[in-house]
Amino acid sequence: MFGWEGVTEFVAVAETESFTAASQRLGISTAQVSRQISALEKRLATKLFYRTTRRVSVTEEGKIYYQHCRQLLDGLDEAERALSQLQSRPQGKLKLTAPTTFGETKIIPLLNNFMLQYPELEVECHLTNQKVALVEEGYDLAIRLGKLADSSMIAKRLGARQQFICASKDYLNAHGRPDSISELEQHNCLQGTLDYWRLLDGGQEREVRIKGSLRCNSGLALLDAALKGLGIVQLPDYYVKEHIEQGRLVPLLESYQPEPEGIWALYPHNRHLSPKVRMLVEYLGERMDS
């Protein structure tokens, strides 16, 4: 009769590891969350959380119970969406995250067009190069680039990006053109967050250590430096493609160019039937390479 009481509160605390954060997510008081959890533990005769003054963590029994409760709540969400005729169109709030520059240049313009088609949709978009915790922070969708770490999330490939090594004509006229990986040691290689470039060598991808006079975590800053002749840069196509086509940058070491990297939509399992997520992912995938 009371099987559902405390389950929603338990799942929220398990995912946020905080009674306060769980109360904020659910829109109820922390005291109410605590009472429901205590009643649930008493009914189950099982301790679900370890509590200290600094943190809350799930017990082994709690982890097992969470897996079943998460499935039950996901099933309830899906059942309610299936019964709602209004869910045939994207509507309500959608929270997504994407890498900063890729989001600004590729995702946001498409997202804005999507919102014009579905004015009932309200979007919160957070652009960051940091990996955010989707479930814990309430995200419906994340756009990720490159190789994905193992995850329980659903991943759908939207397209691909290609890395280019290039430099300005002024730089090449002054310093010469590298024709092999080993010759990069003789050049000023502009660094991003990593001190290596990924290249194909003999058909195998390898990480080639590079060094130079500039290191910056901004692709736009590295692009500007390359355009001004400061050095050689490796950047994704959406930074350099236009400049290569117009002759401002010259592609280098093309035979060593790595394989294209994936562009991915990543979302929790309980979002895969949501029209706003499903239709946005389809929309992005259809237009990502156009």
Side-chain angles (χ1 to χ4, degrees):
M1 179 177 178
F2 303 101
W4 283 99
E5 288 190 4
V7 170
T8 302
E9 292 82 356
F10 163 71
V11 169
V13 174
E15 290 180 348
T16 61
E17 296 186 338
S18 166
F19 280 71
T20 301
S23 69
Q24 292 172 348
R25 176 193 287 190
L26 299 174
I28 59 178
S29 69
T30 304
Q32 185 175 349
V33 172
S34 181
R35 284 195 299 271
Q36 290 286 9
I37 296 297
S38 296
L40 182 62
E41 288 180 323
K42 183 177 180 180
R43 179 163 58 84
L44 297 174
T46 302
K47 188 177 184 65
L48 299 174
F49 296 104
Y50 297 116
R51 303 168 176 84
T52 69
T53 55
R54 293 187 175 182
R55 61 171 299 188
V56 176
S57 59
V58 187
T59 65
E60 288 300 316
E61 294 84 356
K63 291 177 181 178
I64 295 172
Y65 191 61
Y66 167 80
Q67 295 298 327
H68 292 280
C69 290
R70 181 70 268 176
Q71 293 178 15
L72 289 172
L73 291 181
D74 290 347
L76 181 60
D77 287 342
E78 293 176 8
E80 291 178 351
R81 284 194 292 268
L83 291 175
S84 176
Q85 295 181 352
L86 295 177
Q87 288 295 324
S88 61
R89 285 174 58 86
Q91 64 170 327
K93 293 184 178 180
L94 186 148
K95 185 176 181 181
L96 69 90
T97 180
T100 304
T101 303
F102 186 78
E104 290 172 342
T105 58
K106 294 293 184 180
I107 299 300
I108 294 300
L110 293 175
L111 178 61
N112 290 339
N113 291 339
F114 186 77
M115 293 180 68
L116 287 173
Q117 292 188 27
Y118 303 104
E120 302 93 346
L121 189 64
E122 180 181 340
V123 175
E124 178 183 344
C125 185
H126 182 50
L127 300 182
T128 176
N129 293 329
Q130 303 298 316
K131 295 294 189 294
V132 300
L134 300 191
V135 173
E136 291 82 350
E137 299 186 36
Y139 284 93
D140 298 291
L141 176 66
I143 305 300
R144 297 277 167 83
L145 306 174
K147 295 180 180 179
L148 295 178
D150 290 338
S151 169
S152 61
M153 303 291 171
I154 296 176
K156 181 174 181 180
R157 189 181 176 100
L158 301 176
R161 68 170 184 174
Q162 180 66 66
Q163 296 279 356
F164 285 88
I165 293 178
C166 50
S168 70
K169 291 179 180 178
D170 288 342
Y171 177 86
L172 298 177
N173 289 336
H175 302 280
R177 179 189 184 113
D179 293 316
S180 66
I181 291 177
S182 62
E183 291 180 36
L184 287 175
E185 296 180 359
Q186 306 165 21
H187 288 271
N188 192 37
C189 298
L190 309 175
Q191 300 180 54
T193 54
L194 304 175
D195 63 353
Y196 62 83
W197 292 344
R198 292 188 179 92
L199 296 170
L200 281 186
D201 188 10
Q204 298 294 319
E205 185 175 287
R206 59 175 283 209
E207 296 175 354
V208 178
R209 299 291 168 180
I210 50 105
K211 59 182 180 179
S213 61
L214 175 65
R215 183 166 188 169
C216 185
N217 65 348
S218 166
L220 290 176
L222 297 177
L223 172 62
D224 183 72
L227 288 169
K228 291 176 177 175
L230 288 180
I232 301 175
V233 72
Q234 184 184 56
L235 286 170
D237 44 20
Y238 51 89
Y239 285 100
V240 300
K241 184 177 180 181
E242 178 183 348
H243 299 289
I244 291 175
E245 291 173 348
Q246 297 181 7
R248 290 189 289 268
L249 291 175
V250 178
L252 306 170
L253 301 175
E254 293 177 274
S255 61
Y256 299 97
Q257 196 166 312
E259 296 294 329
E261 301 173 315
I263 301 169
W264 304 91
L266 201 66
Y267 47 98
H269 281 268
N270 65 322
R271 303 292 196 271
H272 77 284
L273 286 183
S274 169
K276 61 188 178 184
V277 173
R278 173 176 49 81
M279 293 179 69
L280 177 57
V281 169
E282 292 173 356
Y283 185 90
L284 293 175
E286 291 168 357
R287 293 160 177 80
M288 188 60 63
D289 292 324
S290 60

